[in-house]
Amino acid sequence: MNRLSLPRRWPWHLPAHGINGISVALGVLLVQLVGGLLGGHPAALVASGGAIFASLADTPNVPRRTLRRVFTAAMAGLVATVLVTLLRSHELALGGVVTVIAFLASLALAWGARAGPISFVPILAIVFTMAAPPLVGWRAQLEHTGWTALGGALYLVWSVLASRALQPRYRGLALAAALEATAALLRSRTVLLLQDRMRPEGAPPLQDWMERQVSLDERLQAARDLLFEAAHRPDAPDVPRRIAVLLLAIDLRDTLLGSELDLDLLGHDAAAERLRSQLAATIDHTAASLDRMALALQLGLPGDAPTTAHQPALADAVQAFGAQPSRSALATALLDRSRHIADDLARMQAALAGIQVPQPLGAAELRAFVSPEGWPLAALKPHLRLGSPILRHALRSAVALGSAYFLALALPWASHPHWLVLSVGVVLRGNLDQTLSRRDARVAGTVLGCLLVLVFAQVHSPLLSSLVFLIAAGTSHAFVNVRYLVTATAATVMALVQAHLADPSGGFGVGERLADTVLGALLAWGFSYVLPAWERRGLGRLVERVQRSLRALVKEALRWPEAGERDVALRLARREVYEAIGGIAASAQRTRAEPRSVQVPLYAMATLLTQCHVLLAQLAAVHTMLTRRADRLDREASEQALQDAAQQIDQLLAAISQPGTAPPETLATGAPQTTGDLRLPPLGNNEPLLPWLQRRLGLAVQGARRVSAAAVAVKEAPREP
């Protein structure tokens, strides 16, 4: 595949996580300088600890969210610090506090991914506080608390100011990342066309498709959170056009989904292969254009001028089917779909260039697509039962970290019991797959980090140690969700240097650090089998979410679009479907690491994902036909066909959760047209389009029947004893 690129003007160009890491390091440095000026080196070290606690929640986000999350992290770190300083001389009581903190921190995951960084803050606060020499007297404890609070407060101010200053950059990079993910999805489609690996149902190979889709979903949501929040800001003139580009990129995925259909009916002769090659070239050209748009956003350069949808080579390939009416009709339809992709690209280029394009949603409507914020107590209620994976992980973490603390006290090298607690805390995750991944990366990163410390320890320089500490803090923060091996390496350096700065007479403790890491990784691995939340437990919940989201999408997609009507409900339903099937895919990925006796049947989940993809493609094709070709459809007849198909599909999907309902194979036998009929309706400027709509609705009904059967098979899979 050819990847066109622009010359990079800035060889030091960084992604968003790199910029964020530098911002964190500069913020900690600022706190150190202020602390040093006000209270000397000891105060600077304690204040920098408070800053690091707060910094864990400082990720690329809008200032309002940054303020709330960093404040919460700073308070969590401060509370944990106060508890540890008060109970430092009482080993048994401190062990109890470690256990309780571990439980509450893990329970915070009930608020979702936004609570992930904050949930680790209390654990890190325990480690940093115990790394310092014990405090004697209430005055020393009060001073320590004050410097920690000052560090968190100063960093809070820095994080909000930095977030405001970096908003234009964050928004541009988030949109660029979404465009790159869209281009990657298009290229995966190109590979399928060239290699002719389409399934009869029109679904691409599952693994590659899901990887691309999950990556795209994550980047699209990150871009929504940054761009949609700024839709009403008068001081951000670039936001409306970037929002338009993002919405068009989301629509482009639906256009691509619809273009995947019916290719198996083309045949495999020279004419069919030529058409496939031309389609692949068109899609690859679109992907290259998206890459250029992403690079232009990254480098602050003007984008390409809008291109036209004229595709002479593809039109010539379609002409080869002129003597075969059925195949000619299909080839013409494929040409139209290709033009739809080109049209979407041209509108994206126009929007990026500053040309005004219609805005489908207003600022108030865009906010409905932003991730939830806040800490409502109602989020905890569903998890206050033993069957909840969140509660199980919280109990597991409490027992594991408490055991690690008391075991560390009994070890021959008991000078740093918090290191063993830290090792268990960072490795033990909510599922076995992530725990195993963290285990390996943590051990390897600790070895690399210890080697780096041994190298620069030969230079006895407090200034160098402080500089290394800052670089390690920024690096570990930047790569935590990108490449954990880098984070583990940098975090090891940061922890060893921080302990050395707090107590230079104690050395670096490299040998003890290695031993604690290996032992902690083994403990976390072992405790991951305590109160396990195997993926089988959540199958019913995941399938029901897929069912609900598909029914909502069908309701919105299979209705006649009114002129000027906002499609907010359709877009929300579509996003929910992608998130729901993404949950199924993630579960299938995680279960591979589980013991074979409790694994989810992968073939059943793969079948469900494949059939969901097929149904999504059929619905996308229907919606495209209604929005782009409504003038060629008889409204009354089309509305009746849409209502009939929607009712049948809803019955099929409802059967998933209704015991005693007729099996899916016996429902909806009155589909408008069977998919086994390869004789496609004629397609021309004067031909009616209703037969094509009826055929597509029949395929959608058949797709829903297969989704229902696959969902029932997944729900009926053997459960955990």
Side-chain angles (χ1 to χ4, degrees), residues 499-521:
H500 177 70
L501 290 173
D503 185 14
S505 62
F508 285 98
V510 170
E512 182 180 344
R513 178 71 176 178
L514 285 171
D516 282 335
T517 297
V518 173
L519 181 57

Side-chain angles (χ1 to χ4, degrees), residues 86 144 174 204 397 403 652:
L86 289 175
H144 187 278
S397 298
S403 300
L652 286 163

Side-chain angles (χ1 to χ4, degrees), residues 39 51 61 106 123-124 153 205 250 254 281 335 337 345 347 354 358 373 400 455 515 520 554 659 673:
N61 220 321
S106 298
I123 307 301
L124 191 63
I250 295 171
D254 261 15
L335 176 60
R337 298 173 194 172
L345 174 64
R347 284 194 289 268
E373 184 66 9
V455 170
V554 168
Q673 184 173 341

Side-chain angles (χ1 to χ4, degrees), residues 84 91 94-102 120-128 130 397-409 411 413 416-429 442 512-513 515-521 523-524:
V84 173
E91 292 181 342
L94 183 56
V97 167
V98 170
T99 302
V100 172
I101 287 178
F120 186 66
V121 169
I123 307 301
L124 191 63
I126 292 173
V127 174
F128 272 43
M130 293 183 66
S397 298
V399 176
L401 268 68
S403 300
Y405 171 81
F406 288 112
L407 176 61
L409 296 179
L411 291 174
W413 59 88
H416 300 94
H418 50 283
W419 282 357
L420 188 59
V421 173
L422 176 64
S423 296
V424 175
V426 297
V427 172
L428 185 60
R429 302 290 91 191
R442 184 68 183 178
E512 182 180 344
R513 178 71 176 178
D516 282 335
T517 297
V518 173
L519 181 57
L523 282 173

